[in-house]
């Protein structure tokens, strides 16, 4: 599955062999609540990683740390060899990066929210073209053409001029995915992208995500959809109480989990 | 003895007011518009100041809002106009001020500044409430696609907050149109001052005041119609139907229905 994108890089490019995401010993607290207690995770180019675990396990927080929507308190995160949210200070200590650098880094990472967070005062098309125009300064007609192709791809060509308030949850989420893809991200993060949807619209969003995975996009998905993890995931990561409990291929994790906590969790939801 | 209305005088004050009246009406509207615009700008700046990380700026802004909302506006007008002279011995506002080719009295400028300062304090509360009403996810999704916070404010948050801000803003301007009458106190020749001058000549305050009140009603009614149009325009994407302006004037149906 990851072969396609990796193949797009020249064989001599050292980036092929390096993980695109490298998180090491990430810590995060909210006040006295220690949410992440040393999370480490590497993701290869083109890989689809699903993060599962009970609520409160820190999986959403970890995902938000990956594009610095939350600032981490310890450890380090690198994406494509670049430190996320921080830079090396003079004395070798990490200091928070400039706003411009943080924004530039985020522009390369797509983020899909549980609650879509489309901008209600803009049409579907306007939602998609906003960032490529305002952030990257791309020519308007070029961006519109790309946005229309993306709407086509998520099956919403006829909703081009619809405001989010007129779209179903599933349609809104597909527009949100198109909005993220319009920035040509090298990595897509999905934060429980189907959890806020009516059951009958979950499928259409998952279908878009599966297609994306099949095309070789690097994806990290926090999800409760075990069917999706099994079908589209290259690797499943089980988190609990702020740490990675175990990880493995979907097949091995779902059938031969080595950790008791993983087995308990899976028994409850499968 | 009950008052017998002098219908002729009332009609005269209503339909054929003397020359200075029209000048006074223009002054009233001009001051109200200028003070409201300045007040909105001050309100936005105050919100920025309150949200900045510079604590002296925050404290000064808090004090400003606290004093402006907590003291009578007549007192504020008085001190803005005469304060510098009384305490520092110079005139902050000369008798005449020339602005881009126009010459206006210092009292008008001082009065407008006072009203703007007062308005700014109220607007800061309205703007703050408007921005706070926007879901945090809106800012996050803007940041997530690589926008700077300033771009996100301008493109994502403020256009949505405007919808929340505009109805109370319209209310404020309605109020402003009438509050300008307090500037008669420092001798600004606006609509109410015009009425004052006339009743001190005729000694018939009833007719003069009824007439001027009806003129204020004309101004606020025109504004009401403009306001409905504005709200329609800014609410376009989310609510197709807006309450009729008749409803608005009768005072019911004034709701946030359909607005998020």
């Amino acid at each position: 599955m990851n072969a396609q994108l990796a193949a797009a890089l020249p064989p001599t490019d050292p980036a092929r062999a390096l993980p695109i995401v490298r998180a090491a010993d990430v810590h995060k607290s909210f006040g006295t609540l220690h949410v992440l207690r040393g999370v480490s995770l590497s993701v290869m180019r083109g890989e689809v990683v699903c993060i599962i675990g009970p609520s409160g396990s820190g999986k959403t927080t970890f995902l938000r740390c990956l594009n610095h929507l939350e600032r981490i308190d310890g450890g380090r995160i690198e994406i494509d060899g670049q430190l996320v949210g921080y830079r090396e200070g003079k004395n070798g200590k990490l200091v928070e990066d400039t706003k411009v650098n943080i924004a530039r880094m985020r522009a390369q990472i797509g983020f899909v929210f549980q609650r879509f967070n489309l901008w209600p005062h803009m049409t579907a098309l306007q939602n998609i073209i906003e960032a490529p125009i305002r952030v990257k300064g791309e020519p308007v007609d070029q961006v519109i053409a790309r946005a229309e192709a993306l709407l086509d791809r998520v099956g919403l060509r006829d909703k081009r001029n619809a405001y989010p308030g007129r779209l179903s949850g599933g349609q809104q989420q597909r527009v949100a995915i198109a909005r993220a893809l319009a920035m040509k991200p090298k990595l897509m993060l999905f934060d429980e992208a189907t959890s806020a949807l009516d059951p009958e619209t979950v499928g259409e969003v998952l279908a878009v995500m599966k297609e994306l995975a099949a095309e070789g996009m690097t994806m990290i998905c926090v999800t409760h959809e075990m069917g999706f993890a099994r079908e589209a995931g290259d690797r499943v990561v089980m988190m609990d109480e702020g740490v990675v409990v175990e990880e493995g291929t979907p097949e091995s994790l779902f059938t031969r989990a080595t950790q008791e906590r993983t087995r308990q969790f899976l028994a409850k939801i499968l | 003895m009950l008052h017998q209305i002098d219908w002729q005088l009332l009609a005269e004050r209503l339909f054929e007011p003397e020359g200075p009246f029209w000048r006074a009406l223009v002054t009233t509207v001009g001051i109200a518009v200028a003070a409201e615009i300045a007040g909105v700008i001050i309100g936005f700046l105050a919100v920025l100041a309150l949200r900045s990380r510079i604590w002296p700026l925050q404290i000064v802004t808090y004090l400003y809002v606290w004093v402006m909302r907590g003291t009578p506006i007549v007192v504020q007008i008085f001190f803005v106009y005469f304060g510098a002279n009384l305490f520092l011995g110079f005139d902050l506002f000369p008798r005449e001020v020339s602005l881009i080719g126009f010459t206006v009295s210092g009292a008008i400028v001082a009065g407008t500044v006072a009203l703007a300062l007062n308005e700014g304090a109220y607007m800061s509360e309205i703007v703050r409430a408007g921005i706070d009403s926007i879901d945090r996810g809106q800012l996050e999704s803007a940041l997530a696609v690589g926008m700077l916070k300033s771009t996100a404010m301008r493109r994502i948050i403020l256009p949505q907050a405007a919808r929340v801000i505009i109805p109370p803003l319209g209310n404020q301007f309605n109020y402003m149109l009438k509050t300008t009458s307090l500037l008669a106190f420092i001798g600004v020749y606006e609509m109410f001052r015009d009425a004052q001058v006339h009743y001190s000549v005729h000694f018939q305050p009833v007719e003069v005041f009824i007439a001027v009140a009806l003129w204020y009603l004309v101004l606020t009614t025109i504004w009401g119609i403009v306001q409905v149009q504005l709200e329609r325009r800014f609410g376009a994407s989310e609510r197709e139907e807006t309450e009729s302006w008749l409803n608005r004037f009768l005072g019911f149906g004034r709701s946030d229905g359909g607005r998020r």
Side-chain angles (χ1 to χ4, degrees):
Chain A
M1 212 167 278
N2 53 10
Q4 255 177 330
L5 240 187
L9 288 169
T12 51
D13 193 327
R16 277 183 71 160
L18 291 174
I20 185 167
V21 177
R22 208 149 52 165
D25 196 28
V26 172
H27 286 261
K28 171 73 190 174
S29 298
F30 294 110
T32 55
L33 193 65
H34 200 168
V35 182
L36 299 181
R37 300 161 178 263
V39 177
S40 299
L41 181 74
S42 288
V43 177
M44 301 302 288
R45 222 169 277 276
E47 201 177 12
V48 176
V49 174
C50 294
I51 304 179
I52 62 168
S55 55
S57 59
K59 47 196 195 309
T60 286
T61 302
F62 176 66
L63 201 72
R64 289 166 59 85
C65 288
L66 289 180
N67 74 347
H68 205 61
L69 277 179
E70 305 289 353
R71 42 184 304 185
I72 61 175
D73 302 326
R76 58 194 287 151
I77 297 172
E78 279 174 29
I79 289 182
D80 225 4
Q82 282 178 309
L83 214 49
V84 170
Y86 290 84
R87 61 198 157 92
E88 314 266 357
K90 277 182 188 148
N91 47 7
K93 273 189 180 171
L94 295 186
V95 291
E96 189 157 26
D97 211 342
T98 61
K99 290 171 191 167
V100 172
N101 280 344
I102 292 171
R104 200 170 289 159
M105 180 274 304
R106 283 178 181 144
Q108 303 170 32
I109 303 170
F111 198 102
V112 177
F113 295 85
Q114 183 178 357
R115 301 217 39 95
F116 336 130
N117 295 341
L118 288 180
W119 303 312
H121 58 303
M122 297 181 179
T123 63
L125 187 85
Q126 287 168 338
N127 265 278
I128 298 172
I129 64 177
E130 179 69 14
I133 292 172
R134 300 279 157 190
V135 176
K136 283 185 165 175
E138 291 185 64
V140 176
D141 44 351
Q142 200 178 309
V143 175
I144 289 179
R146 192 160 82 236
E148 281 170 341
L150 282 167
L151 276 172
D152 228 15
R153 188 164 148 194
V154 299
L156 292 172
R157 178 214 291 264
D158 55 327
K159 299 293 181 189
R160 182 186 194 276
N161 296 322
Y163 284 96
R166 305 262 150 184
L167 300 176
S168 73
Q171 292 171 330
Q172 288 190 56
Q173 193 61 296
R174 284 185 280 156
V175 173
I177 293 172
R179 173 175 69 180
L181 291 176
M183 291 297 281
K184 297 181 178 163
K186 45 184 159 188
L187 167 70
M188 286 284 287
L189 307 175
F190 291 84
D191 181 17
E192 303 195 27
T194 58
S195 297
L197 298 177
D198 295 330
E200 65 264 35
T201 62
V202 168
E204 64 197 42
V205 172
L206 288 179
V208 169
M209 290 170 66
K210 281 176 197 165
E211 205 184 301
L212 206 55
E215 285 164 16
M217 174 62 78
T218 312
M219 294 163 61
I220 304 178
C221 313
V222 169
T223 187
H224 295 295
E225 297 289 335
M226 297 304 146
F228 171 79
R230 193 184 305 240
E231 204 178 316
D234 296 306
R235 188 153 45 112
V236 176
V237 174
M238 164 76 191
M239 276 183 73
D240 191 22
E241 290 177 354
V243 293
V244 171
V245 175
E246 78 175 294
E247 53 181 294
T249 63
E251 207 270 328
S252 70
L253 201 84
F254 290 148
T255 55
R256 305 182 297 274
T258 58
Q259 300 296 311
E260 183 54 31
R261 269 191 289 180
T262 312
R263 281 199 292 269
Q264 281 174 354
F265 175 71
L266 289 173
K268 259 184 253 168
I269 59 162
L270 282 181
Chain B
M1 199 178 72
L2 295 176
H3 184 82
Q4 294 293 315
I5 288 186
D6 179 344
W7 291 103
Q8 204 195 331
L9 178 61
L10 180 59
E12 187 191 304
R13 294 299 303 153
L14 268 180
F15 303 113
E16 311 166 73
E18 293 150 53
F21 173 84
W22 297 109
R23 208 188 73 206
L25 186 144
V26 170
T27 305
T28 290
V29 174
I31 291 174
V33 170
E36 189 64 47
I37 292 173
V40 170
I41 294 169
I42 294 170
F44 272 95
L45 293 178
V47 171
L48 286 182
L50 287 175
R51 290 176 175 237
S52 74
R53 289 185 194 148
I54 310 160
W55 64 265
L57 199 58
Q58 288 181 338
I59 289 178
V60 168
T61 313
Y62 266 117
L63 285 175
Y64 156 71
V65 173
W66 179 57
V67 169
M68 285 294 166
R69 295 179 69 217
T71 57
I73 188 164
V74 179
V75 177
Q76 295 166 16
I77 293 166
F78 176 81
F79 279 109
V80 168
Y81 192 33
F82 299 114
N85 188 299
L86 293 174
F87 294 115
L88 307 169
F90 71 91
D91 283 332
L92 194 56
F93 300 95
R95 289 187 66 83
E96 296 208 316
V97 182
S98 64
L99 287 167
I100 4 163
F102 291 94
T103 308
V104 289
S105 77
I108 289 184
V109 177
T112 309
V113 168
L115 292 178
L117 285 173
N118 182 269
E119 184 65 11
Y122 285 93
M123 278 314 298
S124 73
E125 297 284 302
I126 291 170
V127 170
R128 190 170 58 90
I131 292 174
D132 286 349
S133 74
I134 306 305
D135 185 75
R136 188 168 167 79
Q138 292 291 312
L139 176 64
E140 289 190 345
S141 62
L143 295 178
V145 289
M147 282 190 206
L148 291 171
K149 208 170 170 185
S150 53
T151 315
M153 249 328 174
R154 196 161 40 82
R155 296 289 305 168
I156 308 300
I157 307 298
L158 287 182
Q160 293 183 63
R163 257 180 248 170
V164 186
I165 291 169
I166 279 175
L169 171 65
N171 222 21
Q172 288 293 112
F173 184 66
N174 171 298
Y175 198 67
M176 175 67 83
L177 279 167
K178 293 165 293 177
T179 311
T180 52
S181 62
L182 292 177
L183 298 189
F185 177 68
I186 54 169
V188 173
Y189 201 89
E190 42 62 65
M191 257 176 22
F192 189 74
R193 179 76 189 145
D194 182 64
Q196 261 187 340
V197 167
H198 275 274
Y199 101 77
S200 62
V201 172
H202 300 290
F203 294 105
Q204 285 181 298
V206 175
E207 290 74 13
V208 173
F209 283 160
I210 289 177
V212 78
L214 288 171
W215 271 108
Y216 278 107
L217 199 55
V218 168
L219 293 184
T220 52
T221 303
I222 293 171
W223 168 245
I225 294 168
V226 173
Q227 194 188 342
V228 170
Q229 298 309 317
L230 275 179
E231 286 178 31
R232 244 180 221 166
R233 203 183 121 90
F234 280 88
S237 62
E238 269 185 284
R239 6 177 238 171
E240 245 81 308
E241 67 286 291
T242 315
E243 59 220 296
S244 75
W245 58 269
L246 192 64
N247 275 358
R248 168 58 55 87
F249 291 125
L250 295 178
F252 11 83
R254 174 82 209 262
S255 71
D256 286 348
R259 204 176 297 119
R260 291 196 193 178

